[in-house]
Amino acid sequence: MCGIVGIIGRKAVAGHLVDALKRLEYRGYDSAGVATLEKGTLTRRRAEGKLRALEAKLEREPLSGQIGIGHTRWATHGRPTERNAHPHATEKVAVVHNGIIENFRELREKLGKNGAKFGSETDTEVVAHLVTDEMKKGKSPIDAVAATLKQLRGAFALAFIFAGEEDLMIGARKGSPLAVGYGSGEMYLGSDAIALAPFTDLIAYLEDGDWAIVTHAGVEIRDVNGHKVERPIIKSSASSQMVDKGNHKHFMAKEIHEQPEVVGHTLAHYIDMTTERVQLPIDLPFDWKNIKRLSISACGTAFYAGLVAKYWFERFSHLPVEIDIASEFRYREAPLFAGDLAIFISQSGETADTLASLRYAKENKQHVLSVVNVPMSTIARESDVVAPTLAGPEIGVASTKAFTCQLAVLCCLAVAAGRSRGVLSDQDEQNLVRALIETPRHMAAALSLEPQIEALARTLTNCHDVLYLGRGTSYPVALEGALKLKEISYIHAEGYAAGELKHGPIALIDETMPVVVIAPYDKSPRREGVFEKTVSNMQEVAARGGRIILITDPKGAREATVESTLVLTLPDMATTVTPLVYAIPVQLLAYHTAVALNTDVDQPRNLAKSVTVE
Ligand code: M6R
């Protein structure tokens, strides 16, 4: 994940910018840079590699400006070279950026036609040119940024400084986090409170769509419509620890909200944004073409990620997939053929059942690939190859961001397998990759349903049982929704494939039983009529007095007119990416139900984050 800092100070800021960037190193990066105003002129120092390279450069060519922005870059668009390192600048503005500008290609083309000269391959540079264009039309820096933000699509955080403006820095947040720090006579911007901890513990977190006009005297925050808004200033505890809750009440809430950013970051690791192709950051010790069967094993939430992946691998690569709960895999005596592939999925990388399955697979001469979040974990170390999820530390016992990052990685692996096995054409791959790139934006839209979900959650607090239904890849999301609810609210919940309703669970339906139906309108030709079948299941529930909560998209909301249905409408999106986005409302529903019931959300009773016993 890229890291952002900005300082409007009273003395030279370059050293402080680098200090703050060091505190963001945990996010991962491959180049870094700072820009300050030297006698009114924007001046940059950038370096490939670690921060010591930037420090060495600053020693050779020091900067004395008292206002500046800094950045650690994790390459997305373009290689991790000095010329792609941030800040990006024109003679008028310098900008640092975290996230993805989805429409950068069309913007770059348009700007190029108007004479803009680009010095990098990044999506970020278009932002600098857009602001410059607006300023050349006579707009002030503030109005130029406002006009630019309206043209950008994607999930991102930005910080700007301007030539000749010693008392102005602007920050903007849409999807990726950004905080404002309050000092005495100095002000700061940072990706998180950890970066700003050496300077201040007074922090205001920007909300999605906010942008902040920062001066020495303070900050004016405007919302997405340009209206002035107040955001609470909180006292951060980040100085004493490297991981804090931000302005959230629980780690789980923070981790749910981090998803657009960490999923974007994970995708950027597996996708070449410039060519819109999957580019795995790992060397596979096998050829997908030689794999005859894939076995997937994992536990809990990670198992549900694997279940989604089964649909993807089968659809994109025509590979037969077997999936097991890890504690069952090694004991069921499944015949394994030497040279096949076994994938293990684990957030912690320490889950005993998953580890035992991995060892069993190795004994049976499988290639072992693990999808893990903790890079130095035992599962990672014992695997032939590791596909990392870049979710960052997950503290809440209930897994949230690790799940969606696992999905992001597994989807890229399935696409890579499909391409290599000749099932997906270049065009198929590009369509899938484009859909993945748009996912963080859809996730941000899903998060905006939170007030509605919070109100809905209050109505679940006196229920004893909740049923979750879904078909296709929404079936594992239903299982995950039920798991989330039971583990943190202690309300009994079950997930079912919607088609199974009439084979048993329908006996439970009465007016006290809410049924959560996860049903995006499935557009894929091979699944024609599937949505209508789910609507029939909803009719069956309604006929027995059941209360339905339907999570769908605009088309689904129009078509599913079943009585007693409350609808949560998500944006229209490619069917493939729906599990990543539809995970968010079910996480929020569980979270707010648990909060309303006053349970210990981050450390629910009887549960451990890492289950190291079989
Ligand atoms: O660390 P792992 O991903 O291997 O953990 C697997 C499960 O223990 C974990 O997903 C568990 O089910 C969570 N509490 C789910 O929220």
Side-chain angles (χ1 to χ4, degrees):
M1 268 168 290
C2 301
I4 290 179
V5 287
I7 305 177
I8 294 193
R10 297 277 178 212
K11 42 192 184 303
V13 294
H16 288 319
L17 288 170
V18 174
D19 287 345
L21 291 176
K22 283 184 184 160
R23 298 176 66 84
L24 291 172
E25 280 189 303
Y26 76 95
R27 298 160 75 92
Y29 70 105
D30 37 41
S31 61
V34 296
T36 60
L37 270 189
E38 305 292 308
K39 299 203 174 74
T41 302
L42 290 163
T43 311
R44 293 182 288 169
R45 301 285 181 261
R46 299 178 295 166
E48 194 176 319
K50 293 296 168 195
L51 280 167
R52 55 184 175 276
L54 179 64
E55 282 183 299
K57 192 160 219 178
L58 281 163
E59 261 169 44
R60 290 194 303 274
E61 305 164 57
L63 293 174
S64 60
Q66 297 183 3
I67 173 172
I69 50 179
H71 190 263
T72 45
R73 171 174 190 253
W74 184 289
T76 59
H77 298 62
R79 286 162 13 86
T81 55
E82 182 177 332
R83 80 190 257 275
N84 286 333
H86 299 208
H88 289 284
T90 64
E91 72 289 0
K92 291 191 179 295
V93 64
V95 61
V96 289
H97 162 220
N98 172 21
I100 294 167
I101 308 290
E102 280 173 22
N103 55 338
F104 95 100
R105 215 167 275 102
E106 57 201 76
L107 292 171
R108 191 172 161 119
E109 214 174 283
K110 203 165 102 194
L111 287 159
K113 281 190 190 136
N114 293 343
K117 296 270 173 290
F118 290 92
S120 77
E121 300 147 278
T122 65
D123 52 344
T124 311
E125 203 181 353
V126 299
V127 182
H129 283 283
L130 284 173
V131 173
T132 305
D133 253 21
E134 298 293 340
M135 288 177 73
K136 281 185 180 157
K137 289 181 206 158
K139 288 201 175 86
S140 68
I142 294 173
D143 291 342
V145 168
T148 298
L149 292 176
K150 289 196 187 111
Q151 299 176 59
L152 303 179
R153 217 173 56 220
F156 50 80
L158 296 160
F160 303 89
I161 57 171
F162 306 88
E165 301 279 351
E166 299 282 351
D167 194 20
L168 178 66
M169 174 165 75
I170 297 180
R173 176 199 168 153
K174 194 175 160 211
S176 302
L178 195 64
V180 178
Y182 296 73
S184 64
E186 296 199 340
M187 291 292 292
Y188 314 95
L189 286 172
S191 290
D192 60 29
I194 296 166
L196 303 183
F199 318 124
T200 182
D201 56 2
L202 294 179
I203 302 288
Y205 286 91
L206 296 186
E207 289 186 9
D208 219 32
D210 283 357
W211 52 295
I213 301 159
V214 188
T215 62
H216 282 102
V219 60
E220 179 182 309
I221 302 178
R222 298 187 186 174
D223 68 11
V224 70
N225 301 314
H227 301 134
K228 265 168 78 169
V229 283
E230 298 293 328
R231 299 296 176 214
I233 301 174
I234 60 163
K235 204 163 160 55
S236 154
S237 58
S239 44
S240 54
Q241 52 187 84
M242 280 298 278
V243 182
D244 81 338
K245 292 183 200 149
N247 61 342
H248 297 280
K249 201 165 157 198
H250 299 101
F251 280 109
M252 183 180 177
K254 176 178 174 248
E255 289 156 5
I256 290 173
H257 280 265
E258 277 174 352
Q259 290 177 105
E261 189 194 14
V262 294
V263 166
H265 180 50
T266 300
L267 287 171
H269 202 53
Y270 287 83
I271 286 173
D272 181 335
M273 300 286 176
T274 319
T275 57
E276 296 177 324
R277 305 288 298 260
V278 167
Q279 193 170 49
L280 299 183
I282 45 179
D283 288 329
L284 298 178
F286 56 83
D287 186 333
W288 290 108
K289 290 200 267 305
N290 299 333
I291 304 295
K292 300 212 168 35
R293 193 176 56 174
L294 165 62
S295 322
I296 303 179
S297 316
C299 300
T301 292
F303 171 74
Y304 299 143
L307 201 48
V308 175
K310 173 182 164 77
Y311 287 79
W312 286 335
F313 273 104
E314 289 177 345
R315 192 177 304 157
F316 303 155
S317 70
H318 297 176
L319 248 178
V321 179
E322 296 223 346
I323 171 145
D324 282 274
I325 289 166
S327 52
E328 291 298 317
F329 176 66
R330 57 180 292 219
Y331 296 111
R332 83 177 163 90
E333 297 173 37
L336 297 172
F337 304 107
D340 274 347
L341 174 64
I343 294 186
F344 298 90
I345 309 163
S346 174
Q347 186 286 129
S348 62
E350 301 296 346
T351 301
D353 286 319
T354 312
L355 180 60
S357 295
L358 182 154
R359 289 176 177 159
Y360 175 75
K362 275 187 114 171
E363 280 164 22
N364 284 277
K365 307 210 169 6
Q366 304 295 288
H367 294 291
V368 167
L369 184 156
S370 63
V371 177
V372 290
N373 197 40
V374 179
M376 292 314 293
S377 59
T378 314
I379 289 179
R381 281 184 277 115
E382 294 198 13
S383 299
D384 297 331
V385 61
V386 178
T389 49
L390 305 179
E394 190 179 65
I395 310 295
V397 164
S399 188
T400 52
K401 61 177 182 170
F403 175 65
T404 45
C405 286
Q406 285 160 355
L407 291 177
V409 171
L410 289 162
C411 193
C412 291
L413 288 170
V415 171
R419 184 182 64 203
S420 142
R421 291 167 64 84
V423 179
L424 295 179
S425 66
D426 286 357
Q427 189 57 55
D428 294 333
E429 180 182 7
Q430 203 168 47
N431 292 343
L432 287 164
V433 167
R434 282 190 184 148
L436 282 167
I437 292 173
E438 289 179 359
T439 309
R441 176 165 52 93
H442 295 316
M443 294 179 118
L447 286 168
S448 72
L449 297 181
E450 186 162 18
Q452 215 181 323
I453 296 173
E454 187 176 356
L456 178 60
R458 282 194 289 271
T459 69
L460 294 190
T461 50
N462 51 10
C463 298
H464 294 292
D465 309 278
V466 180
L467 199 58
Y468 286 72
L469 301 177
R471 283 172 188 264
T473 52
S474 297
Y475 162 47
V477 179
L479 293 167
E480 171 61 2
L483 176 65
K484 284 289 87 85
L485 189 71
K486 63 187 143 195
E487 63 181 339
I488 59 169
S489 75
Y490 316 145
I491 294 175
H492 171 243
E494 293 301 334
Y496 268 93
E500 273 290 289
L501 179 71
K502 51 197 168 299
H503 298 287
I506 198 163
L508 298 170
I509 307 281
D510 63 18
E511 49 295 332
T512 65
M513 173 94 143
V515 180
V516 180
V517 181
I518 297 141
Y521 194 93
D522 198 330
K523 294 180 276 292
S524 43
R526 267 169 297 173
R527 294 179 52 80
E528 214 177 306
V530 164
F531 183 81
E532 288 71 14
K533 292 200 171 102
T534 305
V535 176
S536 302
N537 300 136
M538 289 168 58
Q539 303 280 15
E540 290 152 15
V541 172
R544 286 154 184 88
R547 187 155 62 95
I548 302 162
I549 298 162
L550 171 65
I551 310 177
T552 187
D553 49 31
K555 179 145 192 219
R558 279 196 304 279
E559 308 263 321
T561 46
V562 177
E563 62 173 313
S564 340
T565 301
L566 190 143
V567 185
L568 292 172
T569 311
L570 294 173
D572 185 33
M573 68 197 78
T575 303
T576 299
V577 301
T578 55
L580 287 97
V581 181
Y582 281 63
I584 288 183
V586 296
Q587 293 166 351
L588 286 171
L589 190 61
Y591 172 73
H592 284 292
T593 308
V595 170
L597 287 167
N598 204 19
T599 60
D600 189 347
V601 171
D602 282 334
Q603 289 176 342
R605 70 184 180 205
N606 308 338
L607 290 178
K609 184 68 186 157
S610 171
V611 184
T612 50
V613 287
E614 282 190 56

